[in-house]
């Protein structure tokens, strides 16, 4: 399983780079090894990932990934870093609203930006099931599977771009109805419960691509 996760992680890194979502200083990406209390972590500029235990002291940016995996048992992968649009979103110091039904279905409701190193605030921001957060100038994306983390990161980039442009226009921003968010949120929570069970049992979650 470790070798399989390593192969999937490196493949995702190539996809992120192609999308412009990875490669800046401070960017990092990790994947949980299903059924084990450890994950693989790679930083921008690294040629290969390192294995990181979840229960021991790790230090540096690995602490952030460690915290996220402890808080979210459904997280199979975590992407940390910044892009031009996520930096622009962070500079607004406001909460990105739910603008699209796809956003509600797969990313959940985002919370207010969190100060850098505020792990308690981060736990609160992601504890409710959101798959994205702004921490300092960085954006965090979570996903249950190797495919879903790429989809979530790409989707959030599009949402950040749309919101920053709309906010700069000064015109009213239309949000999707509350009942759409409620239905989508319920489906997302079911996905997350299944993902947590699969990861704990040592399997990569399946059936995570349904709308």
């Amino acid at each position: 399983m470790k070798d399989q996760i390593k192969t999937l992680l490196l493949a995702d890194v190539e996809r992120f780079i192609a999308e412009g979502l990875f490669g800046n200083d401070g960017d990092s990406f990790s994947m949980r090894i299903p059924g084990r209390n450890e994950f693989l972590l790679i930083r921008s500029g690294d040629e290969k990932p390192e294995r990181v235990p979840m229960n021991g002291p790790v230090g540096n940016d690995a602490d952030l990934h460690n915290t996220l995996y402890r808080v979210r048992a459904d997280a199979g992968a975590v992407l940390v870093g910044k892009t031009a649009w996520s930096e622009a979103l962070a500079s607004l110091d406001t909460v990105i609203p739910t603008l699209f039904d796809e956003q509600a279905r797969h990313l959940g409701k985002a919370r207010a930006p969190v100060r850098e190193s505020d792990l308690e605030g981060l736990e609160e921001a992601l504890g409710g099931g959101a798959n994205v957060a702004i921490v300092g100038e960085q954006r965090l994306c979570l996903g249950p599977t190797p495919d879903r983390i790429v989809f979530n990161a790409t989707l959030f980039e599009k949402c950040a771009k749309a919101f920053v442009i709309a906010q700069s226009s000064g015109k009213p921003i239309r949000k999707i109805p509350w009942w759409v968010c409620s239905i989508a949120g319920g489906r997302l929570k079911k996905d997350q419960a299944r993902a947590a069970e699969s990861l704990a049992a040592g399997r990569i979650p399946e059936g995570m691509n349904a709308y």
Side-chain angles (χ1 to χ4, degrees):
M1 178 62 75
K2 177 184 174 183
D3 289 341
Q4 180 184 5
I5 294 299
K6 178 181 178 181
T7 298
L8 292 169
L9 181 147
L10 293 175
D12 272 5
V13 168
E14 291 185 3
R15 295 169 68 184
F16 287 137
I17 292 174
E19 293 284 347
L21 301 175
F22 189 83
N24 293 316
D25 290 341
D27 289 359
S28 57
F29 177 55
S30 67
M31 277 190 189
R32 185 196 298 264
I33 302 177
R36 300 170 65 174
N37 289 322
E38 56 186 359
F39 58 92
L40 297 183
L41 172 69
I42 191 168
R43 301 173 180 85
S44 177
D46 289 351
E47 294 185 359
K48 58 182 181 180
E50 66 173 291
R51 184 177 62 86
V52 181
M54 291 185 185
N55 297 325
V58 289
N60 301 323
D61 50 354
D63 271 334
L64 179 56
H65 290 259
N66 217 338
T67 296
L68 293 171
Y69 286 122
R70 289 198 304 267
V71 172
R72 292 286 297 275
D74 62 289
V78 174
L79 175 66
V80 179
K82 57 185 178 182
T83 66
W85 289 112
S86 66
E87 282 189 274
L89 177 61
S91 70
L92 295 178
D93 194 28
T94 188
V95 181
I96 181 172
T98 306
L99 305 172
F100 312 104
D101 58 349
E102 197 174 33
Q103 178 185 357
R105 175 66 180 88
H106 299 294
L107 301 183
K109 183 179 180 180
R111 299 290 187 91
V114 179
R115 296 189 313 275
E116 190 174 358
S117 301
D118 182 6
L119 295 183
E120 183 176 343
L122 177 60
E123 290 184 23
E124 183 177 349
L126 295 174
N131 280 330
V132 293
I134 294 292
V135 179
E137 293 184 344
Q138 293 184 309
R139 59 89 173 87
L140 278 62
C141 290
L142 280 64
T145 68
D147 285 336
R148 182 54 62 181
I149 184 65
V150 177
F151 177 89
N152 286 354
T154 304
L155 175 59
F156 185 61
E157 185 74 359
K158 293 178 180 177
C159 293
K161 179 180 180 179
F163 178 60
V164 169
I165 293 174
Q167 185 81 347
S168 66
S169 73
K171 297 180 180 180
I173 298 175
R174 181 178 297 179
K175 306 173 186 177
I176 63 174
W178 67 268
W179 56 269
V180 174
C181 292
S182 179
I183 294 173
R187 292 175 178 172
L188 179 58
K189 287 185 181 298
K190 289 180 180 179
D191 281 351
Q192 291 170 341
R194 294 201 312 273
E197 291 176 359
S198 295
L199 291 166
R203 303 187 305 270
I204 296 175
E206 298 178 347
M208 297 288 111
N209 294 325
Y211 188 81

